[in-house]
Amino acid sequence: MSEGDSIMLEATRRRLSGKQADTVDKLTKAAVEVLAREGFAGMTIRLVAAAAGVGTATAYTYFSSKEHLVAEIFWRRLVASPSPASEADDPHARVVAELRNIALLVADEQELSGAVTSALLGRDPDVAHLRDRIGAEIRKRILRALGPDADPDVVESLELLYAGALVRAGMGYASYSEIADRIEKSALLILK
């Protein structure tokens, strides 16, 4: 098993066997369906478990809260998304492509995108763990895009830009597609 496979089979609470990984996959897919139908406010672990065909207690074995479940969905999409998003020679183009790619991971799913923002702001320790992993992955992608001489202040500014932009999108100030355009514009100002 490669490192990438182990990342996909690792939940925030424990390492998963093949059968357990299948159960988690069912739960994450069912959560997306429930979110689309019920919205984040109406989503419960019980509804997701029923949609996945597993017991509620089983679902809670893997996910401590609906916020944890939604954060896991985003984490899985992030690590499954291609990186670098651009092979351009220009590091600025690579950074913009990376940030745009990440911003658009859930852009086409309105309920999921809003739920991701709400979930990642949660205080659940399992969410905090995922938030740290997500942040580290985004930082790694920015650093890789900028190259070995990346200015730490520029990296931090780009991280703050990305996080703030997604909070704005989650609050409904703009669509995720519009926010991706704004991220591009703002990133280029930072990179000047």
Side-chain angles (χ1 to χ4, degrees):
M1 179 182 320
S2 73
E3 183 181 337
D5 291 339
S6 68
I7 288 172
M8 291 305 292
L9 297 178
E10 180 183 337
T12 58
R13 301 177 108 186
R14 64 210 260 190
R15 291 267 182 197
L16 302 176
S17 69
K19 183 178 179 190
Q20 291 168 329
D22 289 342
T23 301
V24 170
D25 285 341
K26 285 181 193 174
L27 288 165
T28 56
K29 287 176 182 153
V32 172
E33 294 168 12
V34 171
L35 270 169
R37 187 177 67 240
E38 304 291 332
F40 189 59
M43 177 184 153
T44 64
I45 295 290
R46 180 181 304 273
L47 283 174
V48 172
V54 302
T56 303
T58 299
Y60 274 112
T61 300
Y62 301 103
F63 299 105
S64 56
S65 64
K66 68 182 184 179
E67 291 82 3
H68 179 205
L69 178 54
V70 170
E72 180 74 20
I73 292 166
F74 186 76
W75 165 246
R76 286 169 174 252
R77 288 198 181 179
L78 177 62
V79 297
S81 71
S83 179
S86 170
E87 299 292 337
D89 290 335
D90 177 22
H92 296 173
R94 290 193 306 264
V95 167
V96 167
E98 284 291 356
L99 293 175
R100 175 176 280 286
N101 179 57
I102 296 166
L104 294 175
L105 285 176
V106 294
D108 295 334
E109 298 163 274
Q110 184 177 357
E111 291 298 333
L112 178 59
S113 60
V116 166
T117 300
S118 295
L120 291 177
L121 294 174
R123 295 183 184 263
D124 179 328
D126 291 318
V127 171
H129 175 76
L130 275 170
R131 190 173 44 239
D132 290 345
R133 290 173 80 182
I134 290 165
E137 177 67 17
I138 292 168
R139 174 176 272 270
K140 179 176 86 176
R141 289 176 182 220
I142 291 170
L143 286 167
R144 185 172 40 229
L146 284 175
D149 298 326
D151 179 337
D153 290 333
V154 169
V155 173
E156 183 179 23
S157 295
L158 291 167
E159 289 174 307
L160 290 169
L161 165 65
Y162 169 78
L166 291 190
V167 168
R168 285 182 62 94
M171 293 171 64
Y173 291 131
S175 72
Y176 278 76
S177 296
E178 292 167 331
I179 287 295
D181 292 339
R182 299 279 199 130
I183 288 173
E184 180 174 344
K185 231 170 128 174
S186 299
L188 290 173
L189 289 171
I190 291 169
L191 293 166
K192 277 187 177 182

